[in-house]
Amino acid sequence: MPVDVYDAASWMAVTALSEMSIAKGGAVMDIPDFTGGKWHRRERNL
């Protein structure tokens, strides 16, 4: 499965965001778009 740095950053953010959510009583946390919206136009490397 091809993984790039943006995928890795998003996956790693889940841990930190989970901790923040728990600290805030289960608040919903948005996952940041580390690509600045470029994921919509990204070529797929299969």
Side-chain angles (χ1 to χ4, degrees):
M1 176 167 84
V3 177
D4 63 19
V5 67
Y6 301 110
D7 294 328
S10 294
W11 294 347
M12 294 304 294
V14 172
T15 301
L17 294 170
S18 295
E19 291 177 1
M20 291 170 59
S21 174
I22 291 167
K24 294 182 178 190
V28 174
M29 308 301 290
D30 292 328
I31 296 178
D33 179 5
F34 294 105
T35 71
K38 293 179 183 176
W39 67 272
H40 290 281
R41 298 173 302 280
R42 180 170 77 169
E43 289 185 29
R44 297 192 50 87
N45 298 324
L46 299 177

